Amino acid sequence: MSGQRSVEIVVRGRVQGVGYRAWTKGVAEAKGLVGTVRNRLDGSVEARLAGPAEAVAAMIEACREGPPGARVADLAVSEAAPPAGTRGVQILPTA
């Protein structure tokens, strides 16, 4: 598996108030990914991440567990357009 991949990951469960966004930023950047992460009004966390396909796959698997304190009930992944002009992973306001 090679090349670049860009995905949207929506994580549901106990994922707000447990440091999920900061954890996602740190882990994704350590894997060389770029993108955004934010809380959503429905209580989920949305991450749009892009980078080497192997790193994206590893990040998806990491998101199934999340940081200590998180309880992931569901994780939905869909292919997405790459983020424009992003360096690192930006934490965005809740939407």
Side-chain angles (χ1 to χ4, degrees):
M1 193 162 157
S2 63
Q4 300 288 304
R5 184 175 180 199
S6 180
V7 296
E8 177 184 83
I9 304 167
V10 178
V11 188
R12 292 182 175 83
R14 184 172 180 240
V15 294
Q16 289 190 10
V18 296
Y20 206 102
R21 290 173 301 160
W23 173 86
T24 300
K25 175 180 173 60
V27 174
E29 287 178 346
K31 294 181 182 304
L33 302 178
V34 298
T36 61
V37 62
R38 71 167 122 210
N39 285 339
R40 297 196 334 180
L41 293 174
D42 66 3
S44 65
V45 170
E46 166 195 295
R48 292 177 181 249
L49 302 170
E54 297 88 351
V56 171
M59 188 65 201
I60 291 167
E61 289 310 306
C63 285
R64 293 185 193 283
E65 295 295 321
R71 285 200 282 282
V72 176
D74 182 58
L75 186 130
V77 179
S78 56
E79 300 302 314
T86 303
R87 286 188 162 184
V89 176
Q90 307 302 312
I91 296 177
L92 300 179
T94 300

